[in-house]
Amino acid sequence: MHVSIVGSGYVGTTVAACLADLGHEVVNIEIDQEIVDTINAGEAPIHESGLADRIAEHAGTNLRATTDYAAVRETDLTFLCLPTPQAEDGSLDLAVMRAGSESLGRALAAKADDHLVVVKSTVLPGTTEDVVGPILEDESGKRVGDDLELAMNPEFLRMGTAVTDFLEPDKVVVGATSEDAAATLRELYAPIVDREATDLVETDIREAELIKYANNAFLASKVSLVNELGNIAKEYGADAYEVLEAVGLDDRISERFMRSGLGWGGSCFPKDVDALRAGAREQGYDPALLDAVVAINDAQPRRLVDSLAAHVDLEGARIAVLGLSFKPGTDDIRKSRALDVIEYLQDRGAAVVAYDPVAMENVRPKYPEVEYAESAAAALADADGAVVATDWPEFDDLAFDGMVQRVVVDGRRIDVDEESLEVYEGLTW
Ligand SMILES: NC(=O)C1=CN([C@@H]2O[C@H](COP(=O)(O)OP(=O)(O)OC[C@H]3O[C@@H](n4cnc5c(N)ncnc54)[C@H](O)[C@@H]3O)[C@@H](O)[C@H]2O)C=CC1
Ligand SMILES: O=C(O)[C@H]1O[C@H](OP(=O)(O)OP(=O)(O)OC[C@H]2O[C@@H](n3ccc(=O)[nH]c3=O)[C@H](O)[C@@H]2O)[C@H](O)[C@@H](O)[C@@H]1O
């Protein structure tokens, strides 16, 4: 099929390269000329395992990028993969979705044939039909249900494993206004949804929109619950990891997303949970549980610093922070818990020396006063204490002998030779 994809960030680029790999003719429409040039040169604009190879293979044949929305007219359907960030008050900011929908609608005005528009961005219920649809109708002169179809197809990929998550998902969710639209997406995704391990969920647009938020809210809540149980376990002197490993053996609960510690960050959980809370309030519902989920998450970095302060006088101390990215395998620092840890340490008078295998250059402009070390060992050298903020595999089995005081508080449960330390404390165990 001929597919256009508006927005070529994490999601749009991954979807484009993977659909090209499945044999479709794909064009990315992107306002950033540098991203367009990168893709057309056969290179990946973001780092994701398996992405560069796919772009190199398909660019110039069945994958290309352009800044010109006119390209949509040569395609059967368009995915909107535009950002849906948070406004100041935490609510969903649809400005980019509106602008992209206007440009798309204007380009579609000159297309004689019918067209299908699929929203892949994470948007609250009602956005596709009440915001995107009317803009497309106004700008294109087409009518939804006549020569324009709408669908909503949320994305569940994770950063770091985007390509395999897209090609081998647990589920593909399709909300559509018509059977024709659903049939088009079934055909597009045939190699994926025909896999035994992938469920195809066909539903209405409103449900598809909410499934994405419910999914992220569930996972964020699970981590916050695990963190609360971990905090309680620690008070009792029990090991939360042993407790939760046993709990996870119940297949109603599952052993995944059971790692307690510093909490969740990244570009999605925080913004999506906040957007859902704001949306719920707008609908007149008070989301008390989701408020608590956020409050628990926000408390963990301070708890980590308080735990360290119980062993080290932080005023004037040199403290190593190991890990800066919001999770291992990425240089993304958006809403990383490590940044809160740095701020709490600085508030208490500590000098921070940080190390991360890939994320330091992203943190440096934000915190120029922090010292950035070349390795974990260099960060630990002469430190009066250390905290672990990201569970990078290379932090397992570190040597701590260069520290002035061998005190480590671990927010992520790395593998540590406890005998080599004066104090080793887990945040939740
Ligand atoms: N990053 C992730 O892991 C996931 C993100 N999502 C959702 O997918 C959506 C997209 O997220 P990302 O890909 O992470 O965003 P992103 O910020 O990485 O990429 C968006 C791209 O759109 C481009 N753009 C902005 N305005 C444009 C316009 N008017 N026309 C054409 N291009 C334009 C930007 O230059 C940028 O390259 C969001 O709703 C997000 O919540 C969903 C699942 C996973
Ligand atoms: O909507 C999105 O953008 C995506 O958000 C998350 O993906 P991602 O943010 O890439 O990362 P995760 O692996 O889910 O981790 C999120 C955060 O939770 C933390 N986490 C995760 C699991 C766990 O057991 N404990 C824990 O603290 C991680 O350290 C990280 O800070 C979801 O897992 C994806 O399904 C979803 O598509």
Side-chain angles (χ1 to χ4, degrees):
M1 297 173 87
H2 289 77
V3 185
S4 44
I5 294 174
V6 173
S8 195
Y10 266 97
V11 173
T13 307
T14 305
V15 174
C18 291
L19 289 180
D21 216 37
L22 297 180
H24 299 293
E25 287 286 330
V26 183
V27 57
N28 261 130
I29 293 146
E30 164 62 52
I31 47 166
D32 186 331
Q33 184 68 51
E34 207 178 315
I35 294 179
V36 168
D37 294 343
T38 305
I39 293 174
N40 287 333
E43 288 161 24
I46 53 159
H47 298 287
E48 275 296 331
S49 167
L51 188 65
D53 291 352
R54 283 178 171 81
I55 294 180
E57 188 181 339
H58 299 287
T61 51
N62 63 334
L63 173 65
R64 72 182 178 95
T66 176
T67 55
D68 187 358
Y69 272 79
V72 300
R73 296 199 282 270
E74 272 87 62
T75 65
D76 309 304
L77 73 154
T78 304
F79 280 97
L80 286 175
C81 298
L82 292 167
T84 49
Q86 282 183 277
E88 283 284 298
D89 63 356
S91 65
L92 179 62
D93 179 351
L94 288 175
V96 182
M97 284 299 283
R98 286 200 172 89
S101 302
E102 274 170 29
S103 305
L104 175 60
R106 272 198 294 279
L108 288 175
K111 183 184 178 192
D113 299 332
D114 299 357
H115 200 81
L116 168 62
V117 175
V118 187
V119 173
K120 199 174 241 314
S121 300
T122 302
V123 291
L124 284 169
T127 307
T128 303
E129 286 167 295
D130 303 338
V131 179
V132 174
I135 294 174
L136 292 172
E137 287 187 325
D138 285 351
E139 299 292 339
S140 68
K142 293 183 181 298
R143 287 288 155 261
V144 173
D146 181 10
D147 47 359
L148 181 67
E149 295 294 348
L150 284 181
M152 195 311 155
N153 167 226
E155 183 51 57
F156 301 96
L157 63 78
R158 289 162 299 170
M159 294 170 71
T161 49
V163 169
T164 42
D165 284 348
F166 181 81
L167 291 171
E168 298 166 18
D170 294 336
K171 61 184 175 240
V172 169
V173 174
V174 169
T177 45
S178 71
E179 173 45 33
D180 273 2
T184 303
L185 287 170
R186 268 201 301 276
E187 191 189 330
L188 181 86
Y189 283 131
I192 295 175
V193 296
D194 288 351
R195 297 172 70 245
E196 208 176 310
T198 299
D199 282 311
L200 172 65
V201 179
E202 294 195 14
T203 181
D204 289 335
I205 288 182
R206 211 164 269 271
E207 279 74 16
E209 291 170 323
L210 193 51
I211 286 167
K212 173 66 195 179
Y213 281 99
N215 218 90
N216 273 358
F218 202 99
L219 291 172
S221 303
K222 187 170 182 183
V223 175
S224 280
L225 175 58
V226 156
N227 283 341
E228 180 147 282
L229 292 170
N231 294 340
I232 295 169
K234 188 174 172 183
E235 294 298 324
Y236 278 112
D239 182 335
Y241 273 70
E242 267 183 48
V243 171
L244 290 159
E245 201 180 314
V247 172
L249 295 175
D250 186 327
D251 67 7
R252 292 170 301 178
I253 294 171
S254 122
E255 80 274 16
R256 296 176 71 189
F257 265 67
M258 283 292 217
R259 295 184 61 82
S260 61
L262 203 50
W264 39 271
S267 66
C268 289
F269 282 179
K271 95 169 162 62
D272 291 348
V273 174
D274 281 351
L276 186 58
R277 290 162 69 213
R281 289 214 153 79
E282 226 175 271
Q283 300 298 314
Y285 179 78
D286 185 26
L289 180 57
L290 291 179
D291 289 350
V293 162
V294 172
I296 291 167
N297 197 51
D298 286 347
Q300 292 304 85
R302 191 184 288 279
R303 289 179 62 86
L304 184 82
V305 174
D306 286 347
S307 299
L308 184 67
H311 307 289
V312 178
D313 178 7
L314 293 178
E315 183 64 49
R318 178 178 168 86
I319 304 299
V321 173
L322 300 181
L324 297 170
S325 59
F326 85 95
K327 65 173 188 180
T330 176
D331 65 354
D332 198 325
I333 57 154
R334 284 177 285 180
K335 297 277 162 126
S336 171
R337 304 285 85 188
L339 307 185
D340 298 293
V341 169
I342 289 176
E343 285 179 21
Y344 290 136
L345 284 170
Q346 289 177 334
D347 286 351
R348 299 181 67 159
V352 174
V353 49
Y355 170 73
D356 187 286
V358 296
M360 288 193 291
E361 288 321 304
N362 294 337
V363 178
R364 198 189 293 270
K366 216 170 145 68
Y367 300 100
E369 69 289 358
V370 164
E371 188 182 324
Y372 296 89
E374 277 182 3
S375 63
L380 292 168
D382 301 328
D384 300 304
V387 292
V388 180
T390 314
D391 39 343
W392 283 101
E394 70 170 71
F395 295 158
D396 286 341
D397 304 318
L398 280 175
F400 298 96
D401 38 6
M403 295 178 75
V404 176
Q405 299 178 95
R406 281 172 286 118
V407 177
V408 175
V409 180
D410 184 356
R412 296 293 182 185
R413 184 86 161 200
I414 57 167
D415 285 343
V416 168
D417 172 14
E418 291 186 39
E419 299 299 304
S420 68
L421 288 165
E422 290 153 46
V423 176
Y424 173 71
E425 188 174 325
L427 177 57
T428 54
W429 62 93

